[in-house]
């Protein structure tokens, strides 16, 4: 426990320093030519670029995704390479991007690779019980799960399977939720509900469901940003995402945004760099940082998004 407490304290101190350095980097973006003085707050990895569900609005089940992307599991060798390549430059990994990370055939081994890091996972939880048990066992052995986001969007069989989570099995999800609620992982679980306004009392019913399980409740009103085929144009704004985090898909392509399933703003591939230090402030990324921190709507991908502004800027 003392070791874990020291890890948390160090992580918190580094996060505070990074926030300060990010503010300086953005304010002096042209003087610094887009360089980020600090390290990434997190690295998002698309460990799986496939999914077991067929949710409306999601690009993964579409023909366009199949035609432009390779649906695959990141290999253990690739993940170990990434872990060692990044080293101490980042202590938080998001093991989800597009696809369902818990269907990885070697999921327990994936977790073991990142045992010395903080881990965030997003899942539909309609997965075999053994995968959930593996996550619980990993935490018992000292794995640092920062958050487990469960995409629910329903509170019973009817609402879950017909409203949004097409192909999901509510009984299986419920069984897995009970496993989590009875384990030490419970405090890390957040039930996420997306509401498009078509169901009466959606928020109240979903909130009651989360309360019955004693799990955290997260509610979002679906906005124009959810379905990229129906998005309205947002006013131009600034975006600081590429200053704060790194995103990588299952082909090791580097992206400036997590909402980029087709790689429209891909700027490089991990294998092109000799070190993480070289990657983090490479010319391609610095150029994207300056453009997005100045005017995000110069990119078609970004016109349907309100943009991310760091709270201190």
């Amino acid at each position: 426990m003392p070791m874990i407490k020291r890890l948390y304290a160090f992580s918190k101190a580094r996060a505070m320093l990074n926030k300060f350095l990010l503010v300086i980097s953005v304010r002096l973006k042209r003087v610094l030519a887009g360089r980020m003085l600090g390290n990434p707050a997190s690295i998002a990895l698309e460990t799986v670029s496939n999914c077991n569900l067929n949710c409306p609005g999601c690009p993964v089940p579409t023909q366009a995704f199949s035609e432009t992307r390779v649906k695959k599991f990141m290999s253990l060798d690739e993940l170990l390479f990434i872990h060692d390549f990044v080293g101490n430059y980042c202590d938080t990994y998001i093991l989800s991007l597009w696809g369902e990370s818990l269907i990885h055939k070697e999921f327990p081994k994936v977790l073991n690779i990142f045992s010395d890091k903080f881990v965030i996972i997003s899942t539909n939880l309609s997965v075999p019980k053994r995968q959930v048990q593996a996550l619980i066992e990993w935490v018992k052995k000292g794995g640092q799960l920062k958050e487990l986001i469960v995409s629910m969007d329903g509170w019973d069989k009817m609402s879950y399977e017909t409203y949004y989570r097409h192909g999901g099995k509510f009984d299986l999800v419920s069984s897995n939720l009970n496993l989590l609620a009875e384990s030490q992982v419970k405090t890390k679980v957040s039930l996420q509900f997306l509401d498009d306004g078509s169901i009466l009392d959606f928020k109240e019913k979903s909130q009651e469901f989360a309360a019955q399980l004693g799990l955290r409740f997260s509610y979002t009103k679906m906005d124009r940003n959810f379905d990229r085929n129906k998005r309205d144009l947002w006013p131009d704004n600034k975006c600081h995402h590429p200053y704060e985090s790194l995103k990588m898909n299952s082909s090791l392509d580097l992206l400036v945004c997590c909402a980029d399933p087709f790689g429209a703003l891909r700027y490089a591939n991990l294998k092109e760099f000799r070190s993480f230090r070289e990657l983090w402030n490479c010319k391609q990324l610095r150029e994207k940082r300056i453009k997005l921190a100045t005017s995000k709507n110069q990119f078609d991908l970004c016109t349907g998004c309100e943009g991310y502004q760091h709270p201190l800027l």
Side-chain angles (χ1 to χ4, degrees), residues 77-91:
D77 286 342
E78 286 174 327
L79 291 166
L80 186 58
F81 173 79
I82 293 168
H83 173 278
D84 294 345
F85 183 87
V86 176
N88 293 325
Y89 283 100
C90 185
D91 59 14

Side-chain angles (χ1 to χ4, degrees), residues 158-177:
M158 177 66 73
S159 61
Y160 178 85
E161 296 182 8
T162 62
Y163 166 62
Y164 186 70
R165 295 292 158 186
H166 297 178
K169 300 176 181 177
F170 181 77
D171 292 340
L172 176 59
V173 175
S174 294
S175 176
N176 286 334
L177 281 175

Side-chain angles (χ1 to χ4, degrees), residues 168-188:
K169 300 176 181 177
F170 181 77
D171 292 340
L172 176 59
V173 175
S174 294
S175 176
N176 286 334
L177 281 175
N178 286 327
L179 276 177
L180 293 170
E182 294 168 2
S183 74
Q184 65 189 88
V185 176
K186 178 178 180 177
T187 58
K188 306 298 183 182

Side-chain angles (χ1 to χ4, degrees), residues 8 18 40 42 72 76 85-86 94 98 110 132 149 166 169 178 180 204 238 260 276 282-283 285 302:
Y8 268 107
N18 266 341
S42 64
K72 57 168 286 197
L76 296 181
F85 183 87
V86 176
I94 303 169
W98 295 99
V110 172
V132 179
I149 304 166
H166 297 178
K169 300 176 181 177
N178 286 327
L180 293 170
E204 291 73 18
K238 300 174 183 179
D260 186 7
F276 185 80
C282 68
K283 180 181 178 182
L285 180 54
C302 307

